[in-house]
Amino acid sequence: DRLREDDLAKHLQPASMAVEGLPKVIVDEDACVRLKHGLEINVDAQAPTGDSLEGPPDEGLEAAAISPEGDLKAIVYRKRDAW
């Protein structure tokens, strides 16, 4: 069977499934815009969540930046006081 444009969507998975094992950082609209432009976001304003995270995030920790709607916006890592 060949894929057709009108039937492609049923074969795709959300990108957020690829990062299910990472802690999540829920990002608001302003943070999404900053990430889109390659800018850092403040660590304190975006606390990671998830069972795999205990205590404050360590430098170099990777997390999935997720919009409030559940869309993957970026994979971020902790560097000093920013993601």
Side-chain angles (χ1 to χ4, degrees):
D1 287 323
R2 294 187 57 179
L3 291 177
R4 295 185 329 263
E5 186 175 341
D6 62 336
D7 139 267
L8 185 61
K10 72 180 181 182
H11 298 285
L12 300 177
Q13 299 292 324
S16 59
M17 286 183 67
V19 294
E20 286 181 343
L22 291 178
K24 309 288 185 276
V25 178
I26 306 302
V27 292
D28 60 20
E29 187 176 333
D30 291 336
C32 287
V33 171
R34 291 185 61 78
L35 290 170
K36 181 178 176 179
H37 293 286
L39 301 173
E40 296 177 340
I41 57 175
N42 186 303
V43 167
D44 295 332
Q46 312 296 334
T49 62
D51 296 335
S52 61
L53 185 67
E54 296 178 11
D58 295 327
E59 177 120 0
L61 173 74
E62 286 188 331
I66 306 289
S67 72
E69 297 78 31
D71 298 324
L72 176 66
K73 294 299 180 179
I75 297 174
V76 295
Y77 69 96
R78 170 77 184 263
K79 185 175 179 184
R80 293 185 292 285
D81 291 331
W83 290 103

